Amino acid sequence: VSTHSPAVSDARVDSIEPETRTLSVGWEDGQRSSFHAVWLRDNCSCAECSHPSGQRLLDTLEIPDDLSIASSRLLDGGDVEISWSPGGHVSHFSTTWLRAHDYSRTDRTAPRKITLWDASIAGSLPVATYAEVRSSGRALRSWLTAVDEYGFGVLHGVTPQPEEIFRVVDLFGYVRETNYGRLFNVRSVINPTNLAFTGLALGAHTDNPYRDPTPTLQLLHCLSSSASGGDSTLVDGFRVAEALRESAPEQFDLLTRYPLHFRFRDEDTELETEVPVISLNEHGDVAAVHFNNRSKMPVILPAPLMERYYAAYRTFGRMLGSPEYQITLRLAPGDLIIMDNTRVLHGRTGFEAAGSRHLQGCYADRDGLRSRLAVLDRSETARG
Amino acid sequence: VSTHSPAVSDARVDSIEPETRTLSVGWEDGQRSSFHAVWLRDNCSCAECSHPSGQRLLDTLEIPDDLSIASSRLLDGGDVEISWSPGGHVSHFSTTWLRAHDYSRTDRTAPRKITLWDASIAGSLPVATYAEVRSSGRALRSWLTAVDEYGFGVLHGVTPQPEEIFRVVDLFGYVRETNYGRLFNVRSVINPTNLAFTGLALGAHTDNPYRDPTPTLQLLHCLSSSASGGDSTLVDGFRVAEALRESAPEQFDLLTRYPLHFRFRDEDTELETEVPVISLNEHGDVAAVHFNNRSKMPVILPAPLMERYYAAYRTFGRMLGSPEYQITLRLAPGDLIIMDNTRVLHGRTGFEAAGSRHLQGCYADRDGLRSRLAVLDRSETARG
């Protein structure tokens, strides 16, 4: 389990000491911080520098190279006023804002809360009913919070009729249309161009890793499921990546350093992209997992690394399929699952083409979901 | 100018020498290569290992750990047949395929062709007419090839009526719907929530860097433009990033290592994301540029780097605006520009709110465009 939320106390500014290119600040709690002049000037919030929309009007490029603090004043309550040279512009900074953005005390702002999970989550799935998330902003907020934190969620009672999945997407975002359409039907068909449309078992995978950008959300809605088999499996790719980083750091490293090629082709489509199995962000955090053995192309990397790369790939793939990390869900008509497609991998057990199994799926993006959540958080904060 | 396309000669295999875990191959041209057993087994193309759709049926995870080459045979024409132990499965590899995927001779497959440009491109813009790209697959292919290579393109004669932009997207892909709708209107409005909807000049910027994923394509279609000013500017962010890497490698490095926060808020929306100004891929190539001074949030990074970071940011921003790199286009009614939004930045000169200037814009994604292009390439190859 990994959560980040640096505590920020609300100490006020109780002294300031201007230097030429920095403002040194003393806080009530005895700590000291230093803010650079160029940074303060860039963050001036006056009506001339900042548009009512919250967007920046001040062009960072226009700040004079020889900017310095002409004078500074500590106001009642701990706010700070600075007058700049050259030019004489005056900026006002609230003590709360300065505290919240004090980069001398932390070099990193809090990312959103992520909770990694393994098979033990099966007892407490992020579940809600369609009725409640449709009728209550609070229920929707709570479910979307869980989806954002765990990378997946389940809805029960979603009317098992075609295209109802669009109503679910409407709750938080926008469909990402692709060559598969605005939605796609998952059932076995004659002459499939994609293994998803057979009754074959599918190991844990990322959908559409050959797409650029990869869809960040996937929804699957069960319309019928009388076939035996076809259970859905889910695994937290970030959790497994961290387990690999812990147990075999060199293997982890190989999977981050060398991109794979993924490809999908049919009569009207030819998609190909290049991405590593594990992507890291600039902080070294796992930012995305792309694992899809079906659409992986021949691995091309320096020959001396080939066997080690395969060992790493196979270790990671086996861990993704391990019962220690994976959960299995039997979707009944009306059930819907949503996953963060670059974090939580999904698969299914095989099923008999004879029985009926019909899912409708679609893609969407994370930004819509997080925006909706942030707006719901606002009203909750206003209410609370 | 940077282009990649390693020449692959078509020498055939003329000898093979099996070792336990590798197959050593001698080519007609006297060179030797080595292929690992696990890699060859993984790339078996028989009907049992590879689905007619081209997707992989063989589960890479199921290849035995103690796999070895039981026997191998050089066939007429240079093809190779291998029988595997344990299990006795037989694989056939064509000499052409082996040559094309010979990772001992190169550790990198050719990415798509990219040509970096500066202001001198003004004399030879990637331009086509709407009529020709609609009526001729060859003209469409040629225009899309240029868009993919240069990161932007211009169309003339796109009927200046609302929503015609959707017909243009239909030529190659799918609209990315966002909180701005399927399309957005760019003209000055009362009480704008976004500076785009004022008459202000806008410096070169990436659209929607606060979105995850950032839209990879943007289209802007001019419906009317009687206002004075409001000319469009374009700059190749990859070109400028390479110029910075050359002239100030430490500044380049800072812009790749530390992400910025970008945010957009209005009544119904709250989007925020974290991404560096310059993103590199695993090869160290520039993979994306995100520059948008209006939606940049306070810079948070280690205090000792703050002034150096600002210097790097300001240097890069000024280079983006330099006449050496930037081109200016006056869009007339019926003109449409498309940009790779994570490569080519756009801006505009200020205009009088009194005059009429009306653009319609929408977002789409690169994968659709490249897929369409690959499919057009197929028919061209078949024809040629």
Side-chain angles (χ1 to χ4, degrees), chain B residues 91-236:
Chain B
S91 302
H92 181 107
F93 301 96
S94 84
T95 194
T96 321
W97 188 90
L98 285 170
R99 188 71 173 181
H101 296 86
D102 182 0
Y103 58 89
S104 331
R105 293 161 21 97
T106 169
D107 61 358
R108 184 159 176 199
T109 51
R112 45 181 60 79
K113 186 176 175 198
I114 281 184
T115 301
L116 304 181
W117 52 267
D118 59 23
S120 65
I121 202 175
S124 55
L125 296 178
V127 171
T129 69
Y130 191 40
E132 66 187 350
V133 298
R134 283 212 295 187
S135 60
S136 149
R138 195 170 284 208
L140 179 59
R141 174 173 176 260
S142 151
W143 186 67
L144 293 179
T145 300
V147 171
D148 197 36
E149 181 175 342
Y150 297 99
F152 79 106
V154 179
L155 275 185
H156 293 306
V158 180
T159 327
Q161 68 190 18
E163 306 205 353
E164 190 65 25
I165 195 169
F166 293 145
R167 304 291 83 69
V168 177
V169 176
D170 286 344
L171 292 171
F172 62 79
Y174 307 93
V175 168
R176 171 101 74 92
E177 186 174 359
T178 70
N179 55 295
Y180 300 121
R182 281 175 52 79
L183 67 69
F184 48 89
N185 290 288
V186 185
R187 51 187 162 195
S188 41
V189 299
I190 310 297
N191 296 326
T193 60
N194 193 308
L195 295 184
F197 311 142
T198 65
L200 292 169
L202 300 176
H205 64 277
T206 310
D207 251 46
N208 291 209
Y210 40 74
R211 200 174 291 289
D212 174 25
T214 309
T216 50
L217 292 177
Q218 178 173 187
L219 291 85
L220 285 170
H221 178 212
C222 180
L223 301 185
S224 70
S225 65
S226 68
S228 94
D231 292 358
S232 297
T233 56
L234 293 175
V235 58
D236 184 352

Side-chain angles (χ1 to χ4, degrees), chain A residues 147-164:
Chain A
V147 170
D148 196 37
E149 181 175 343
Y150 297 100
F152 79 106
V154 179
L155 274 186
H156 293 307
V158 180
T159 327
Q161 69 190 17
E163 306 206 354
E164 189 67 23

Side-chain angles (χ1 to χ4, degrees), chain A residues 106-122:
Chain A
T106 170
D107 61 0
R108 187 161 173 196
T109 51
R112 44 182 58 79
K113 187 177 175 196
I114 281 185
T115 301
L116 302 181
W117 52 267
D118 59 23
S120 66
I121 202 175

Side-chain angles (χ1 to χ4, degrees), chain A residues 78-80 92-99:
Chain A
D79 290 3
V80 173
H92 181 108
F93 301 96
S94 85
T95 194
T96 321
W97 187 90
L98 285 169
R99 186 71 173 181

Side-chain angles (χ1 to χ4, degrees), chain B residues 205-316:
Chain B
H205 64 277
T206 310
D207 251 46
N208 291 209
Y210 40 74
R211 200 174 291 289
D212 174 25
T214 309
T216 50
L217 292 177
Q218 178 173 187
L219 291 85
L220 285 170
H221 178 212
C222 180
L223 301 185
S224 70
S225 65
S226 68
S228 94
D231 292 358
S232 297
T233 56
L234 293 175
V235 58
D236 184 352
F238 284 16
R239 172 71 184 86
V240 177
E242 291 301 344
L244 183 69
R245 166 146 52 188
E246 181 73 22
S247 63
E250 285 173 27
Q251 293 197 330
F252 176 85
D253 196 53
L254 279 171
L255 296 183
T256 65
R257 276 183 200 282
Y258 295 94
L260 289 182
H261 281 247
F262 293 100
R263 185 162 73 185
F264 174 78
R265 272 205 264 215
D266 68 13
E267 205 177 325
D268 310 313
T269 311
E270 185 162 332
L271 293 160
E272 185 175 338
T273 191
E274 193 187 22
V275 67
V277 171
I278 302 174
S279 304
L280 301 181
N281 67 14
E282 294 68 31
H283 305 294
D285 300 330
V286 174
V289 168
H290 286 84
F291 190 91
N292 188 320
N293 200 59
R294 285 172 291 142
S295 54
K296 141 175 154 285
M297 303 271 293
V299 180
I300 303 293
L301 48 72
L305 298 175
M306 189 59 81
E307 289 198 319
R308 273 186 276 163
Y309 185 89
Y310 262 94
Y313 179 87
R314 282 149 52 91
T315 301
F316 187 59

Side-chain angles (χ1 to χ4, degrees), chain B residues 31 36 197 318 333 348:
Chain B
Q31 301 204 37
H36 291 89
F197 311 142
R318 287 169 186 159
R348 69 161 185 242

